[in-house]
Amino acid sequence: QVATLAQAPSGSGRPALSPSGLVVLGTAPSPCPVVFASNQMFNKQMLALTGVQDELTTASSAVLDDKTLKSLLSSSVYSRFKESLVTGAPTSEADMKAIADAIFGWARKLGAVSFAHWFFPMRMGGGALGGAVGAFKMDTLIDLDWSSGEATKPFQATLPYERLFFGETDGSSFPNGGLRQTHTAAAFTTWDRSSPCFVMDKVLRIPCSFVTHLGACIDDKTPLLRSNDAVNKEGLRLLKAISIGTDAKAIYSFLGWEQEFFVVSAEHYKARPDLVNCGRTLIGALPPRNQQAELNYFGPVPFRVEELLRRVHAEMLRVGCAMSVRHNEVAPGQHEMSPIFSVANASADTNVLFMEVMNREAGKLGLQALFHEKPFAGINGSGKHNNWSVGTDTGLNFFYPGKTDP
């Protein structure tokens, strides 16, 4: 459990507040985190050193990172799985079963009762609210016991390997508005194994590509993965041609995103139909100071907003996103949060997840996050910067500036 400063009734699982606003220790149940081999030693050291259970002691406890996966699989299965990510070779049925069983056990220990193929369909919108960029349906971690001889077969808790690696769902409305033949209305999901699974709200989320019956992409992830493949293929060819980094087996695109946003009162937000429907104001007087608002930049964050940012920060760390920065931006009510960079497709996934978590937590506090690039005329917009680089699996950074010294 992550201690927050949210005011909550006794017995809610959150620490209570004293009149001074400080956390009253001992009012919450004793935390009982599920810790795995990937961060067990770090967590023990942190707890022994500080005696505090916080965002850092629970960081990455709900993500299937590489170290956790390695601890769950046999060395041979793990090696073949990692090799397939580089070569694109198919995974054998036996290995898929072993991987599915391991992930099922891991997710159940974290309290997961459902799983979801998490994909990013073409919604043809501006993403004003941000929380609807991703899509998923939740399936319970059960299946019929096919070994039973009964006509009405009992069910059991399990994660069939086919449902981990592949899925089928309705694709007739992505994008919405067109006509599609009935037999091609289905769409298919496939696990993006280079972006880690995680558990949130008792659901094992599996990042996926989303394609049509004929293989056409109707999502935002598939074009990115295909672009990554092109960069990898042609980049390795280039390195071989110029005799640099010829020991590299893979080339990766890296991305570090900076998410800027406004936070306003939910009550005021709902009173503005233009904000609700467009994500930006369409009428209203311009601010007298326009963009001359330097006093806000890196200033103290208002208490209720700071509580929101802390909650989001803790949740993102818990599911494996290295969220490292939060601060006030230039415009009144404008803020920024950003993580350390990672592989581009996994980083893009965490950006979508961040907006979802931000909207969810904001609603609990009577707030609303605005992710539109320019929600208010006359003051600073939200930059949405992306810091991109390319490098090899051996550590060669194509964007390293080098030195001019002799």
Side-chain angles (χ1 to χ4, degrees):
Q1 296 177 359
V2 177
T4 69
L5 296 181
Q7 299 208 27
S10 177
S12 66
R14 296 194 182 103
L17 289 178
S18 69
S20 64
L22 299 177
V23 175
V24 180
L25 299 179
T27 59
S30 299
C32 182
V34 179
V35 181
F36 294 95
S38 62
N39 59 5
Q40 186 173 18
M41 184 60 66
F42 172 77
N43 287 355
K44 286 183 176 179
Q45 290 173 345
M46 287 295 294
L47 286 170
L49 181 65
T50 65
V52 174
Q53 183 83 357
D54 59 16
E55 297 94 324
L56 295 182
T57 56
T58 57
S60 297
S61 61
V63 63
L64 188 68
D65 57 21
D66 184 67
K67 289 184 178 179
T68 300
L69 183 63
K70 187 175 183 180
S71 72
L72 297 173
L73 301 176
S74 67
S75 58
S76 58
V77 172
Y78 172 79
S79 296
R80 289 192 293 269
F81 179 80
K82 295 294 289 185
E83 184 68 21
S84 69
L85 297 182
V86 176
T87 65
T91 302
S92 69
E93 184 175 336
D95 282 359
M96 286 195 289
K97 288 181 179 178
I99 293 167
D101 288 344
I103 293 178
F104 171 73
W106 169 80
R108 287 292 294 132
K109 288 180 180 178
L110 285 172
V113 295
S114 302
F115 74 96
H117 279 199
W118 185 42
F119 57 99
F120 312 92
M122 296 170 59
R123 295 192 185 274
M124 312 305 287
L129 295 181
V133 178
F136 58 94
K137 68 178 180 69
M138 291 164 282
D139 292 300
T140 309
L141 286 165
I142 58 173
D143 195 12
L144 296 180
D145 181 2
W146 297 102
S147 64
S148 171
E150 297 297 321
T152 302
K153 300 183 185 302
F155 64 85
Q156 59 188 356
T158 185
L159 174 58
Y161 72 90
E162 306 97 329
R163 301 179 74 185
L164 170 64
F165 283 80
F166 313 105
E168 180 179 354
T169 187
D170 180 19
S172 61
S173 294
F174 295 120
N176 191 28
L179 294 177
R180 193 169 298 163
Q181 294 177 341
T182 302
H183 74 281
T184 65
F188 301 88
T189 54
T190 180
W191 177 19
D192 174 12
R193 291 168 289 171
S194 56
S195 183
C197 305
F198 59 94
V199 173
M200 177 181 287
D201 298 330
K202 296 188 175 183
V203 179
L204 169 66
R205 292 210 195 181
I206 306 163
C208 286
S209 294
F210 186 56
V211 297
T212 69
H213 178 80
L214 300 176
C217 57
I218 49 175
D219 66 340
D220 294 323
K221 177 184 276 286
T222 303
L224 175 58
L225 292 177
R226 290 175 178 174
S227 298
N228 286 344
D229 286 344
V231 169
N232 177 61
K233 177 182 177 181
E234 300 305 325
L236 289 175
R237 188 173 69 88
L238 173 62
L239 291 180
K240 183 178 180 181
I242 61 179
S243 299
I244 295 177
T246 54
D247 57 337
K249 294 183 179 180
I251 292 178
Y252 301 114
S253 295
F254 298 101
L255 171 66
W257 48 266
E258 301 176 22
Q259 186 62 258
E260 296 181 14
F261 51 92
F262 284 81
V263 178
V264 299
S265 162
E267 181 182 359
H268 292 163
Y269 166 79
K270 293 173 182 177
R272 292 295 301 257
D274 48 358
L275 271 183
V276 171
N277 292 283
C278 304
R280 60 182 291 261
T281 55
L282 302 179
I283 58 174
L286 292 174
R289 294 186 63 184
N290 294 314
Q291 293 190 191
Q292 304 305 313
E294 295 89 345
L295 289 176
N296 296 297
Y297 203 24
F298 294 115
V301 180
F303 176 80
R304 190 157 58 134
V305 177
E306 174 62 11
E307 169 61 15
L308 169 62
L309 302 190
R310 286 175 184 164
R311 291 188 185 188
V312 175
H313 178 245
E315 182 67 355
M316 295 302 294
L317 287 175
R318 192 183 69 86
V319 296
C321 177
M323 191 64 66
S324 62
V325 173
R326 66 179 189 266
H327 63 84
N328 253 14
E329 263 296 337
V330 177
Q334 188 183 37
H335 312 276
E336 177 180 318
M337 294 184 73
S338 57
I340 301 173
F341 72 91
S342 61
V343 175
N345 53 304
S347 183
D349 291 352
T350 58
N351 181 43
V352 172
L353 182 64
F354 170 83
M355 291 188 285
E356 178 186 336
V357 173
M358 175 64 72
N359 275 327
R360 182 188 70 188
E361 296 300 324
K364 296 177 183 178
L365 295 170
L367 300 170
Q368 177 65 51
L370 305 178
F371 289 105
H372 194 283
E373 295 84 350
K374 190 74 173 180
F376 304 105
I379 60 175
N380 302 67
S382 296
K384 314 287 185 182
H385 303 120
N386 289 291
N387 303 281
W388 182 68
S389 65
V390 181
T392 69
D393 58 337
T394 57
L396 177 63
N397 184 352
F398 288 7
F399 290 180
Y400 181 70
K403 297 181 179 180
T404 56
D405 297 338

